[in-house]
Amino acid sequence: MNTQGNRQQRGVAAGIALVLASVIGVVGLVAALSLAISTSMEALAPDTDISPANAVFSGLAFGAVLVALVIQHGQLRRQNSNLGTQLEHMAAANSYHRRADITNQHRLHFELLSKALDDPDLAAVLDAYEGDIPPLKQRQYLYANALYNNVLHAYRIGSTSWDDLPAHLEALSRNEIFREYWSVTRPHRARLRYESQEAQLGRRLDRLIADADDAADRDAE
């Protein structure tokens, strides 16, 4: 930590020294050019009222203005860089809070499902399926819902990428009980926004199930 701080201090000192050297060089160059121009003009037009001293002072003033503009430009660049860094930090903080909110929501959802799994009377509250579903089948559907939502949560917070999803969904796409649950809950998913992450994941699982069916048909032939 101290070594890094010393390096930063040396870097700042070197930057200041470079700026000072540049300022002295610019001012000296402008003064020399002004003096040369004044001498040339005096040689060409002796009657002019331009003295070398005035020319040097005018050149120094111009050089000072030029240096001030250069320094101001550098300050604006540093301010813009600092602002960009602050915006990046704010975006990272917002992303962290969003993932935390999603995780808390997922935890609450899992707690509610756990209570329904343990109590058939509570499971009946979540029975939104068409037809008469036996209590055992309801509990299996609730567990299937918990498994699927676990994958959905991982995808939403970014711990599982789009390319890695098939590895997590493959077993579900081949399980008969989960496929039953997936079939009876299709009307529920039809109400999701098409561009939502949950709808995207649902379509991904639909393709995996269709691929599994095609593979089974080819094997049967």
Side-chain angles (χ1 to χ4, degrees):
M1 190 69 177
N2 292 334
T3 303
Q4 185 177 2
N6 292 335
R7 289 178 179 175
Q8 292 178 349
Q9 291 177 357
R10 288 196 297 270
V12 172
I16 294 174
L18 180 60
V19 170
L20 290 176
S22 301
V23 169
I24 295 173
V26 170
V27 172
L29 179 60
V30 172
L33 290 174
S34 300
L35 181 59
I37 294 171
S38 173
T39 303
S40 300
M41 291 185 66
E42 186 177 5
L44 294 173
D47 296 333
T48 57
D49 197 19
I50 300 176
S51 66
N54 289 335
V56 171
F57 285 131
S58 298
L60 289 176
F62 175 75
V65 172
L66 181 62
V67 169
L69 291 175
V70 172
I71 293 175
Q72 185 178 18
H73 177 67
Q75 290 176 343
L76 289 175
R77 289 185 60 184
R78 287 192 294 272
Q79 290 175 359
N80 290 335
S81 178
N82 292 335
L83 179 60
T85 301
Q86 292 176 2
L87 291 176
E88 290 177 358
H89 290 166
M90 291 176 60
N94 291 335
S95 178
Y96 170 79
H97 290 306
R98 177 180 176 276
R99 291 196 300 271
D101 291 340
I102 293 175
T103 298
N104 290 333
Q105 180 185 2
H106 174 72
R107 184 180 297 111
L108 177 60
H109 179 264
F110 183 75
E111 290 176 355
L112 293 174
L113 285 180
S114 297
K115 292 180 178 180
L117 284 169
D118 294 335
D119 190 339
D121 293 334
L122 297 181
V125 179
L126 298 178
D127 185 1
Y129 313 113
E130 296 181 0
D132 186 18
I133 304 296
L136 175 59
K137 186 68 69 175
Q138 288 184 16
R139 296 181 71 245
Q140 291 175 335
Y141 286 176
L142 290 175
Y143 188 69
N145 178 270
L147 292 176
Y148 176 71
N149 272 278
N150 187 56
V151 178
L152 174 62
H153 172 255
Y155 176 53
R156 292 176 68 187
I157 66 173
S159 62
T160 295
S161 68
W162 179 259
D163 294 334
D164 291 335
L165 281 176
H168 299 280
L169 297 174
E170 185 71 24
L172 297 180
S173 68
R174 296 180 179 277
N175 183 270
E176 290 301 325
I177 296 177
F178 182 87
R179 287 160 68 100
E180 290 178 12
Y181 157 79
W182 195 246
S183 178
V184 299
T185 55
R186 189 174 303 278
H188 305 166
R189 294 190 302 279
R191 301 185 181 95
L192 296 172
R193 288 184 300 109
Y194 183 85
E195 68 276 8
S196 68
Q197 290 179 319
E198 186 172 356
Q200 294 175 14
L201 183 63
R203 291 193 296 273
R204 191 71 181 273
L205 184 53
D206 285 337
R207 288 193 293 271
L208 288 174
I209 293 176
D211 292 341
D213 290 340
D214 291 341
D217 292 339
R218 288 193 298 269
D219 293 340
E221 295 175 357

